[in-house]
Amino acid sequence: MDLKLIPNIKHTDSNNFFLLAGPCAIESEEMAMRIAEKVITITDKLEIPYIFKGSFKKANRSRIDSFTGIGDEKALKILRKVSETFNIPTVTDIHEVSDAYKAAEYVDVLQIPAFLVRQTDLVVAAAKTGKVVNLKKGQFMSPEAMQHAVKKVHDAGNEKAWITDRGTMFGYQDMIVDFRGIPTMRQYAPTVLDVTHSLQQPNQSSGVTGGRPDMIETIARAGVVNNVDGLFIETHFDPANAKSDGANMLHLDYLEKLLTNLVTIRKTITNL
């Protein structure tokens, strides 16, 4: 799929990986705008095609008292404001068929969560909006199995599908990335590596997912070396107090150095 099909995306001729980055969930307009402005400054400097990410609601939570959102329409309007203010595309995840049509009015890319990627009605509904559909590989699925999710999008009349790897369950409380999956999935669709979710430590007895943010650069470097098309990184200016997934998000202050290193690696790999 040609990145130029996404409205307002920049730096498509830079031969860089593209980036989906932002907070796990939209907490307020101020936080979304603050994060977006910082990431745009960095990606413009490094010529990285950028899509702002933010969940308008979080349906998959470990505990009933976990944060789920500030209200669907309120969060979606914030995503639209980010897009219009900075002239950039946006992505959000959906969980129900009705979400597809609702979110498609506000964002450019619809993301199917890993736990839901085999839900045919949801995938088809996303495809029929005509938006790019980002299919997150189920933690329980092989890379080869993702060809069928992509085919559902194509059979619904939409050729704009991506696959995102976010690790595979390893034991009960950890994830692991099998980098052999990247070239496999790239046969079916452009492939993204979700760096931060690959470092989650789910199923903790506390009901709050843990993580290993100290390994973010390790995983990201390996993805770039293995020719991944895009990277997905959740970032926040105060991860310790983020309302969702703070344990595995990258502190916004560290993003520029990380991306600078990754762009250098990309250039080296391109010249091999």
Side-chain angles (χ1 to χ4, degrees):
M1 178 201 144
D2 188 348
L3 279 181
K4 293 179 181 178
L5 294 174
I6 302 174
N8 301 321
I9 195 160
K10 302 175 179 66
H11 310 301
T12 54
D13 294 324
S14 66
N15 200 28
N16 246 325
F17 52 82
F18 60 91
L19 177 70
L20 292 78
C24 178
I26 299 296
E27 299 172 14
S28 70
E29 181 179 314
E30 185 277 333
M31 70 87 72
M33 301 293 276
R34 178 176 171 183
I35 293 171
E37 185 173 26
K38 177 69 172 178
V39 181
I40 290 164
T41 299
I42 297 168
T43 53
D44 281 348
K45 178 179 177 181
L46 297 174
E47 298 188 327
I48 298 171
Y50 173 52
I51 302 163
F52 177 83
K53 183 270 169 183
S55 297
F56 76 95
K57 70 177 177 182
K58 301 301 296 182
N60 173 29
R61 303 285 85 190
S62 297
R63 292 177 9 181
I64 192 68
D65 59 348
S66 296
F67 174 79
T68 58
I70 60 173
D72 293 1
E73 189 173 5
K74 183 177 181 180
L76 286 167
K77 284 182 176 178
I78 290 171
L79 283 164
R80 175 187 281 167
K81 185 167 184 178
V82 168
S83 180
E84 292 175 348
T85 301
F86 298 109
N87 196 33
I88 57 169
T90 56
V91 54
T92 198
D93 37 354
I94 60 173
H95 306 86
E96 303 173 10
V97 169
S98 60
D99 287 346
Y101 307 107
K102 182 193 305 181
E105 296 182 16
Y106 296 88
V107 302
D108 304 288
V109 180
L110 298 178
Q111 183 168 283
I112 307 298
F115 282 130
L116 299 176
V117 75
R118 290 189 59 178
Q119 298 297 107
T120 300
D121 287 350
L122 180 63
V123 172
V124 170
K128 286 185 174 179
T129 67
K131 301 290 184 176
V132 179
V133 181
N134 185 27
L135 301 158
K136 299 194 88 174
K137 185 184 81 65
Q139 299 93 323
F140 45 86
M141 291 173 65
S142 69
E144 290 80 5
M146 286 303 294
Q147 64 185 298
H148 306 298
V150 172
K151 189 173 187 301
K152 289 177 184 179
V153 177
H154 292 175
D155 286 351
N158 186 340
E159 294 298 314
K160 296 181 288 187
W162 296 336
I163 300 171
T164 292
D165 193 353
R166 47 89 26 95
T168 302
M169 288 303 297
F170 182 69
Y172 291 102
Q173 295 179 326
D174 209 354
M175 311 285 294
I176 191 166
V177 178
D178 181 353
F179 289 96
R180 298 173 299 176
I182 292 175
T184 298
M185 291 185 289
R186 289 185 76 218
Q187 296 175 70
Y188 317 132
T191 298
V192 180
L193 177 59
D194 182 343
V195 178
T196 47
H197 284 108
S198 294
L199 293 165
Q200 279 186 333
Q201 293 178 319
N203 303 327
Q204 300 297 315
S205 58
S206 65
V208 178
T209 298
R212 288 290 306 277
D214 56 302
M215 298 295 291
I216 286 173
E217 184 151 357
T218 299
I219 295 292
R221 283 179 177 230
V224 173
V225 165
N226 285 287
N227 294 309
V228 78
D229 297 288
L231 293 174
F232 179 110
I233 299 173
E234 287 188 342
T235 184
H236 196 290
F237 50 79
D238 187 11
N241 291 302
K243 295 184 181 296
S244 179
D245 275 5
N248 55 271
M249 273 197 279
L250 178 71
H251 197 293
L252 193 57
D253 289 349
Y254 303 149
L255 184 64
E256 182 168 3
K257 182 65 165 68
L258 171 66
L259 291 176
T260 300
N261 291 345
L262 297 176
V263 167
T264 301
I265 293 170
R266 171 74 173 205
K267 290 177 179 176
T268 302
I269 294 302
T270 301
N271 292 329
L272 288 178

